[in-house]
Amino acid sequence: MSERSGGNRGSEYRTRQRELIIERLIAARDRHMTADELVEQLRGEGVGRSTVYRALERLVERGEVRRYRLDDGGACYQYTGGDESCHEHHHLVCLRCGRLFHTECGFLDELSAHIMKDHKFRLDTSRTVLYGVCEKCAEAEAEEEQK
Amino acid sequence: MSERSGGNRGSEYRTRQRELIIERLIAARDRHMTADELVEQLRGEGVGRSTVYRALERLVERGEVRRYRLDDGGACYQYTGGDESCHEHHHLVCLRCGRLFHTECGFLDELSAHIMKDHKFRLDTSRTVLYGVCEKCAEAEAEEEQK
DNA sequence: ATAATTGCAAACACTTTGCACCTGT
DNA sequence: ACAGGTGCAAAGTGTTTGCAATTAT
């Protein structure tokens, strides 16, 4: 209870399956993937579905992977690395293509400060995701519209 | 495809069940509830589970109710009314008590503008929810900590 | 009368879990 | 050797759907 997380080193095995899972996540670090995509990609490599879920959960817990919820309730995962700085900035997710954008933008820090001061609300930047439409998709949408 | 939504009047029946569902949602307009809470509350009133889900889906579609995804993937609903202005502002959700706060804060409009200009990303304020911890919960947490 | 709605139970999609077997240390 | 990990299939969630009966118009 009073134990800080992150101190359970030494008790984990380095397995072929985990290596593969992290490898895939890193390869797709610029976007997020569903557990199922991962399972699919690793089907041939002999990695079971539950192993994927278990690994993801663990990675999320230790902060190496971020989990997002799509509008339909399904989960998406994205590698962020052990990189602590990732907790410092906000994330933008395109509702259309699902791509995720990191932004270190100071404006968002000001936002946090403002919300804290004027709304008495401590923003959790690691939990918050800003949704919208990215440039490419906005263009694509514009085309469809006038089609 | 080119039809604007909101024009399907006249084809819907006004039923006892739907009245009850909306009634409950309005009674809890300052917070959000899960479909299950609703089902539970209306069990005695003779409202079936599927009716609740169907009603919620319809209400979300027509914008009277907002749906959020909790961290565990489950959905939460909250009445926002036909009120269009609700699409204009951001929402803050407390990760601890689940209460939702509306804010009309101009700072957030600036944020949208900034993100559009500097990050080429069109923020969708109706989809975005800012997560964090509200004042009360922050206090409660502080107490627990030093307990 | 008849089109929409309801409730039930079965179907679903996604995720978790129990357990016997396998692997890393 | 043995703690920890894996795969399978079974069990859970929360949500959706098919259909006959019911209700609003």
Side-chain angles (χ1 to χ4, degrees), chain A residues 60-74:
Chain A
V60 168
E61 262 171 19
R62 47 166 67 171
E64 285 182 50
V65 165
R66 203 59 99 75
R67 169 164 55 202
Y68 301 96
R69 286 293 169 178
L70 260 25
D71 216 53
D72 69 341

Side-chain angles (χ1 to χ4, degrees), chain A residues 106-122:
Chain A
F107 206 99
L108 292 160
D109 297 333
E110 283 181 51
L111 173 67
S112 297
H114 165 80
I115 288 181
M116 188 50 157
K117 193 162 73 68
D118 288 22
H119 305 277
K120 302 277 187 284
F121 190 92
R122 187 182 72 229

Side-chain angles (χ1 to χ4, degrees), chain A residues 47-107:
Chain A
V47 180
R49 165 171 255 88
S50 32
T51 298
V52 169
Y53 277 103
R54 284 192 271 236
L56 284 172
E57 190 176 316
R58 187 176 297 221
L59 289 165
V60 168
E61 262 171 19
R62 47 166 67 171
E64 285 182 50
V65 165
R66 203 59 99 75
R67 169 164 55 202
Y68 301 96
R69 286 293 169 178
L70 260 25
D71 216 53
D72 69 341
C76 272
Y77 301 84
Q78 179 162 23
Y79 185 81
T80 52
D83 192 358
E84 276 302 315
S85 76
C86 213
H87 292 271
E88 298 306 317
H89 62 244
H90 288 249
H91 287 171
L92 307 173
V93 167
C94 179
L95 289 163
R96 202 163 172 281
C97 65
R99 192 168 278 109
L100 179 149
F101 305 86
H102 299 247
T103 162
E104 302 244 7
C105 170
F107 206 99

Side-chain angles (χ1 to χ4, degrees), chain A residues 11-13 15-18 46-48 50-51 54 58:
Chain A
S11 51
E12 284 183 13
Y13 294 170
T15 69
R16 187 178 60 81
Q17 290 87 334
R18 277 186 201 166
V47 180
S50 32
T51 298
R54 284 192 271 236
R58 187 176 297 221

Side-chain angles (χ1 to χ4, degrees), chain B:
Chain B
M1 274 295 185
S2 54
E3 201 69 279
R4 269 270 169 275
S5 59
N8 53 332
R9 87 200 75 269
S11 53
E12 284 183 12
Y13 295 170
R14 155 173 294 253
T15 69
R16 188 179 60 81
Q17 290 86 336
R18 277 187 203 167
E19 295 286 291
L20 285 166
I21 290 166
I22 295 185
E23 200 175 273
R24 292 290 179 160
L25 285 165
I26 291 180
R29 65 185 319 144
D30 65 313
R31 50 183 221 84
H32 51 217
M33 29 189 350
T34 62
D36 216 56
E37 282 180 279
L38 222 28
V39 171
E40 212 54 52
Q41 289 191 12
L42 297 171
R43 169 181 307 278
E45 315 275 358
V47 180
R49 166 171 252 89
S50 31
T51 298
V52 169
Y53 276 103
R54 284 191 272 237
L56 284 172
E57 191 175 317
R58 188 175 298 219
L59 289 165
V60 168
E61 263 171 19
R62 47 168 66 172
E64 286 182 51
V65 165
R66 202 66 94 73
R67 169 166 53 203
Y68 301 95
R69 286 292 168 179
L70 260 27
D71 217 52
D72 68 341
C76 273
Y77 302 84
Q78 178 162 21
Y79 185 81
T80 50
D83 191 359
E84 276 303 315
S85 76
C86 213
H87 292 271
E88 297 306 318
H89 61 242
H90 288 250
H91 288 170
L92 307 173
V93 168
C94 177
L95 290 163
R96 201 163 174 281
C97 64
R99 191 168 279 108
L100 178 148
F101 305 86
H102 300 249
T103 163
E104 302 245 7
C105 170
F107 206 98
L108 292 161
D109 298 333
E110 283 181 53
L111 172 67
S112 298
H114 165 79
I115 288 181
M116 187 51 156
K117 192 163 73 68
D118 289 21
H119 304 278
K120 302 276 186 282
F121 192 92
R122 187 182 74 229
L123 207 57
D124 183 337
T125 66
S126 75
R127 284 319 232 331
T128 298
V129 180
L130 303 176
Y131 290 95
V133 181
C134 75
E135 194 175 12
K136 278 192 178 170
C137 286
E139 284 169 14
E141 273 185 2
E143 275 181 37
E144 276 178 32
E145 289 275 305
Q146 65 173 190
K147 173 215 56 183

